[in-house]
């Protein structure tokens, strides 16, 4: 029975299921953002004669199943254990399973090692999603009464939820995400059942929204902010139980983890691992700074995967290897039937304990449920930059021959073991994106049932008998837990100390921060003091001169230049590039002369990212700092050139799109020695990246109208220097003024009421789905998603972008002169009105002025391409479709 304290509005049922799991497709599978789904009873027919239910995932309607296998027998947990293959010296142990739990997707431990489990029991009981609109899910709390890691007691903490996505232990209960709410549920009576709730926000994901791209995995990070994957805000618990909300950069798709220094790691379906090398807050100070090279970095390039058995049951298994221009274009499956590249990665976990051999510490374990495996990658670091590599060649850390082994999250546990959450089912793809191929595979091989399984395993070295660590009840005994060699213990101790905020423990924390032998302990003691608002200049000063660079870097990040500037200035020649980079970001925008002098030294010793650091704190004041830099003697030019700071600042001015500031920038450029390094650098920043030699089609841009013709422009255009002339030629179409020869004031068609409604619907969908990859600014993410701003594919013939959105894109594509290697999934779940809304939004947002797209035009394009069942290539997209002929039919 549902607890009585839940509000009436919270029990409204959605008309769709909210799948959070990455699904078995090439990349991020999608679902309707506003809850609309295709009619379950609608029919589909084509030349093959197929007349069954229409499948929004598309693909050929009468596909051949590659590597047809007999129906796999559902295995008991004990039987499944025997299917696992692990490196010598490791074995898996069952922690919990059905009937105690069903369909687990995420877990979190409190300070007593009690495990909160998200049970998504309503998800996909068959390929039509029957019953998915019922609030049958729950958050359960499991206990290991013997402390040995075998969970033998269960209490339902919150019941009757509609497909919750996340849980995070906090205080006397847990944060729970049941879209659209993030709620703090409390157990004030100590019964294990929530009896009180506090709403943190009602905009944490969207009710009825696209779940795979909605917020998830709230995590108390080392900087004391609760950060989530795929969410544009973060939260900080305040004294009294309130939460501070702050803008954040949306990052990742499903799952979030951190290393010993608080750096964030996550991934997306077909992208194994990305990291933020620096805090997002540095960059968010300046929205004009769109170069964010330290955020969302693809640290793992190799996406190859090695299942131990054929895996025919993947959504795009019908796509075969082909040869194009003499080169092999890989399909989904290898000739032996195994998955070639990851397609459903999720829930990464950095292993941060010493139960495993030392070479495993700091490795990242990544579930791939479509391949029935866990991948292990090793991390390498140089100057604060991280790269990842497969730990094995041609094999994985953990594989299973059981097709229902579906790992979706990996964690370091309170006992130092590696915990694996297994949703344990044949169907992991939501009905909204099931292709005909996968439906046939599921039904022929009887994979719809059972749907009531669920397992949690832990991986343990042979001979080890790990025990769960529980924090002491007494607050004064908890600081000592920061010395643990288990990252989970340290993180939990930090969280609890910050929650309780007891000043009596401050001296112990200060001692740990200054003298403990472990740098990890020193850093976490510092962050604990920061969370308790108990940092002092003396403590920071000691840490600024720590022998370990990671401690110094953390201290710089926590410093207040108002009280520690003299000590910070001593670090300008620090041997660690990471320390210097944090210092450059910290000092950016500081008006003190000593800060400016130190920043100049940092610019001399660093590369282009130091130019980003210098610009990060100068939002709206880039011109002022440029003016300051340009007054430096020519002997300082080396400092300016190495960091590319002049170009970076000039680019920020252009992106600000302030006509007066752009005019001032041209005046500054014109005043520099003709053809000199400073002039060229700023012109480069204004011009932006040059288009590639192979780029085709028109160049799209949004000219900025100045108040009058800039005198400097005429001077620059008259230059005899070929480099200057080329740069000015790129800048010229970007700025206009009344009377400029050849320029005609564009007539922008106002949106009608119905078009404005489409725009608003598209904005909602974009914010739920597209924003994580293409970003709120539309500038995209390096290595993952190309920019939409001024993109020829967005602003050109709308039939091309319609085809991309509905069918997907595979292979290389040039966008604004840069080549991108993409495997973008289609979004066939959206109806014609929704596609028109998305496209109308991106063709009118960010100062775009392209015409809106009508639902009827989307209908006509879809009719013209109805026989196309695979993602498009660029060559195919360049061939126009006969929309009029299709419309006539």
């Amino acid at each position: 029975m549902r607890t009585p304290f839940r509000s009436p509005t919270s029990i409204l049922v959605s008309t769709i299921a909210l799948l959070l799991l990455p699904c078995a497709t090439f990349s991020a599978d999608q679902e309707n953002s506003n809850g609309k789904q295709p009619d379950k009873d609608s029919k589909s027919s084509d030349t093959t004669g197929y007349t069954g239910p229409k499948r929004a995932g598309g693909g050929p309607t009468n596909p051949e199943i590659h590597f047809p296998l007999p129906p796999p027998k559902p295995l008991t947990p004990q039987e499944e254990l025997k299917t696992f293959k692990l490196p010598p010296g490791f074995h898996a142990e069952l922690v919990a399973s059905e009937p105690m739990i069903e369909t687990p997707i995420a877990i979190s431990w409190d300070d007593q090692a009690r495990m909160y489990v998200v049970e998504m029991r309503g998800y996909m009981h068959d390929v039509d999603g029957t019953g998915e609109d019922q609030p049958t899910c729950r958050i359960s709390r499991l206990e290991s009464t013997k402390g040995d890691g075998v969970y033998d007691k269960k209490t339902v903490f919150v019941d009757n939820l509609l497909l919750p996505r996340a849980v995070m232990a906090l205080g006397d209960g847990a944060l729970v995400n049941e879209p659209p709410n993030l709620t703090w549920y409390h157990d004030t009576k100590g019964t294990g059942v929530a009896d009180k709730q506090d709403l943190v926000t009602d905009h944490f994901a969207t009710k009825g929204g696209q779940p795979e791209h909605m917020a998830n995995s709230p995590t108390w990070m080392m900087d004391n902010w609760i950060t989530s994957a795929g969410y544009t805000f973060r939260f900080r618990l305040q004294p009294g139980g309130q939460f501070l909300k702050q803008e954040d950069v949306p990052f990742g798709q499903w799952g979030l983890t951190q290393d010993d220094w608080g750096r964030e790691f996550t991934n997306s379906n077909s992208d194994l691992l990305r990291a933020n090398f620096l805090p997002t807050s540095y960059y968010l100070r300046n929205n004009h700074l769109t170069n964010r090279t330290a955020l969302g970095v693809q640290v793992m390039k190799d996406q190859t995967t090695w299942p131990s058995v054929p895996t025919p049951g993947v959504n795009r298994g019908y796509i075969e290897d082909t040869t194009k221009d003499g080169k092999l274009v890989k399909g989904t499956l290898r000739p032996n039937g195994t998955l070639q590249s990851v397609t459903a990665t999720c829930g990464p976990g950095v292993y941060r304990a010493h139960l495993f051999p030392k070479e495993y510490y700091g490795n990242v374990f990544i579930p791939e449920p479509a391949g029935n495996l866990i991948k292990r990658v090793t991390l390498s670091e140089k100057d604060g930059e991280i790269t990842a590599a497969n730990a094995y060649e041609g094999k994985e850390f953990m594989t299973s021959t059981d097709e229902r082994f579906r790992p979706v999250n990996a964690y370091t546990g309170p006992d130092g073991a590696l915990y694996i959450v297994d949703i344990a089912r044949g169907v992991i793809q939501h009905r909204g994106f099931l292709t005909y191929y996968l439906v046939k595979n599921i039904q022929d091989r009887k994979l719809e049932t059972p749907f009531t399984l669920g397992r949690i395993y832990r991986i343990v070295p042979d001979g080890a008998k790990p025990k769960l660590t529980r924090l002491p009840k007494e607050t004064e005994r908890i600081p000592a837990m920061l010395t643990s060699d288990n990252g989970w213990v340290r993180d939990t101790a930090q969280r609890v100390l910050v929650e309780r905020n007891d000043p009596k423990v401050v001296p112990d924390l200060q001692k740990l921060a200054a003298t403990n032998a472990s740098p990890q302990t020193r850093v976490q003691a510092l962050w604990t003091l920061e969370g308790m608002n108990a940092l002092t200049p003396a403590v920071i000063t000691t840490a600024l001169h720590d022998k370990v660079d990671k401690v110094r870097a953390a201290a710089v990040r926590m410093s207040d230049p108002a009280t520690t500037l003299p000590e910070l200035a001593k670090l300008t020649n620090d041997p660690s590039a990471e320390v210097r980079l944090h210092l450059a970001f910290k000092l950016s925008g500081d008006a003190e002369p000593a800060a400016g002098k130190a920043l100049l030294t940092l610019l001399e010793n660093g590369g282009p990212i130091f130019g980003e650091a210098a610009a990060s704190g100068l939002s709206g004041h880039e011109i002022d700092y440029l003016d300051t830099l340009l007054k430096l003697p020519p002997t300082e030019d080396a400092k300016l050139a190495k960091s590319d700071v002049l170009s970076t600042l000039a680019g920020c001015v252009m992106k600000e799109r302030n006509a007066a500031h752009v005019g001032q920038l041209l005046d500054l450029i014109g005043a520099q020695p003709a053809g000199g390094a400073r002039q060229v650098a700023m012109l480069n920043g204004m011009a932006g990246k040059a288009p590639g030699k192979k780029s085709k089609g028109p160049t799209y841009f949004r000219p900025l109208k100045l108040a009058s013709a800039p005198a400097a422009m005429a001077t620059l255009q008259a230059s005899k220097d070929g480099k200057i002339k080329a740069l000015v030629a790129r800048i010229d179409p970007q700025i206009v003024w009344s009377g400029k020869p050849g320029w005609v004031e564009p007539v922008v068609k106002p949106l009608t009421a119905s078009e404005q409604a489409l725009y608003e619907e598209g904005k909602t969908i974009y914010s739920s789905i597209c924003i994580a990859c293409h970003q709120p600014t539309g500038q995209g993410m390096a290595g993952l998603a190309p920019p939409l701003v001024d993109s020829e594919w967005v602003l050109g013939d709308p039939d091309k972008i319609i085809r991309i959105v509905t069918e997907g894109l595979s292979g290389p594509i040039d966008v604004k002169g840069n080549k991108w290697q993409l495997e973008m999934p289609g979004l066939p779940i959206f109806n014609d009105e929704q596609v028109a809304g998305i496209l109308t939004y991106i063709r009118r947002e960010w100062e775009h002025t392209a015409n809106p797209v009508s639902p009827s035009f989307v209908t006509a394009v879809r009719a013209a391409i109805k026989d196309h069942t695979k993602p498009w290539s660029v060559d195919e997209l360049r061939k126009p479709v006969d929309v009029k002929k299709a419309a006539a039919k």
Side-chain angles (χ1 to χ4, degrees), residues 653-670:
V653 173
M654 286 295 284
K655 292 181 178 72
E656 183 188 11
R657 298 188 61 77
N658 181 304
H661 287 175
V662 171
Q664 291 176 287
L665 176 61
L666 283 168
D667 288 341
L668 287 176
I669 293 173

Side-chain angles (χ1 to χ4, degrees), residues 101 246 336 411 691 697 791 838:
I101 57 170
Q246 187 180 85
N336 67 359
Y411 306 88
S791 165
I838 296 169

Side-chain angles (χ1 to χ4, degrees), residues 192-346:
V193 178
D195 51 58
K196 179 186 174 184
Q197 65 174 324
D198 292 312
L199 181 67
V200 179
T201 179
D202 59 359
H203 288 86
F204 193 89
T206 305
K207 186 177 182 64
Q210 202 294 314
E212 194 179 331
H213 285 278
M214 294 196 298
N216 64 84
S217 305
T219 305
W220 186 295
M221 304 301 287
M222 204 168 292
D223 62 2
N224 298 303
W225 286 89
I226 298 171
T227 301
S228 306
Y231 193 45
T232 53
F233 293 95
R234 58 181 186 164
F235 301 95
R236 187 172 176 122
L237 182 63
Q238 302 293 292
Q242 301 303 307
F243 288 89
L244 178 65
K245 186 177 182 181
Q246 187 180 85
E247 183 183 1
D248 200 6
V249 177
F251 178 49
Q253 185 173 355
W254 170 247
L256 176 65
T257 185
Q258 65 178 336
D259 65 7
D260 277 346
W261 317 111
R263 292 175 296 196
E264 303 168 0
F265 292 82
T266 188
N267 56 20
S268 61
N269 284 167
S270 57
D271 189 355
L272 275 166
L273 196 64
R274 287 186 177 251
N276 284 346
F277 296 163
L278 293 170
T280 59
S281 56
Y282 282 158
Y283 284 96
L284 285 172
R285 297 178 299 177
N286 189 347
N287 288 330
H288 314 146
L289 180 61
T290 55
N291 295 334
R292 297 173 174 178
T293 57
L295 302 186
V297 182
Q298 187 182 43
V299 297
M300 183 68 181
K301 304 293 186 182
D302 184 1
Q303 309 299 333
T304 308
T305 188
W306 302 97
S308 58
V309 291
T311 53
V314 292
N315 214 25
R316 311 280 184 217
Y318 59 86
I319 300 179
E320 302 179 70
D321 286 359
T322 58
T323 302
K324 182 179 180 181
D325 299 329
K327 295 182 180 180
L328 175 67
V329 180
K330 290 185 177 181
T332 305
L333 304 175
R334 293 188 180 90
N336 67 359
T338 59
L339 189 67
Q340 301 213 56
S341 300
V342 295
T343 184
T345 57
C346 52

Side-chain angles (χ1 to χ4, degrees), residues 528-592:
T528 305
L529 289 166
E530 189 271 348
M532 296 173 64
N533 197 28
L535 277 176
T536 65
V539 170
I540 284 292
T541 297
T542 298
L544 287 172
H545 299 287
D546 195 279
K547 62 183 179 181
V548 176
D549 58 355
K550 296 294 186 187
V551 182
R552 297 196 302 277
V556 170
R557 185 177 167 190
M558 286 179 258
S559 292
D560 179 0
T563 59
T564 58
L565 182 56
E567 298 302 323
L568 289 170
K570 295 176 183 178
L571 299 177
T572 52
N573 291 303
D574 192 279
S576 167
E578 184 179 8
V579 172
R580 297 195 307 273
L581 185 56
H582 275 279
L583 185 59
F585 275 97
K586 177 63 66 172
L587 297 180
S588 172
D590 194 299
E592 289 295 321

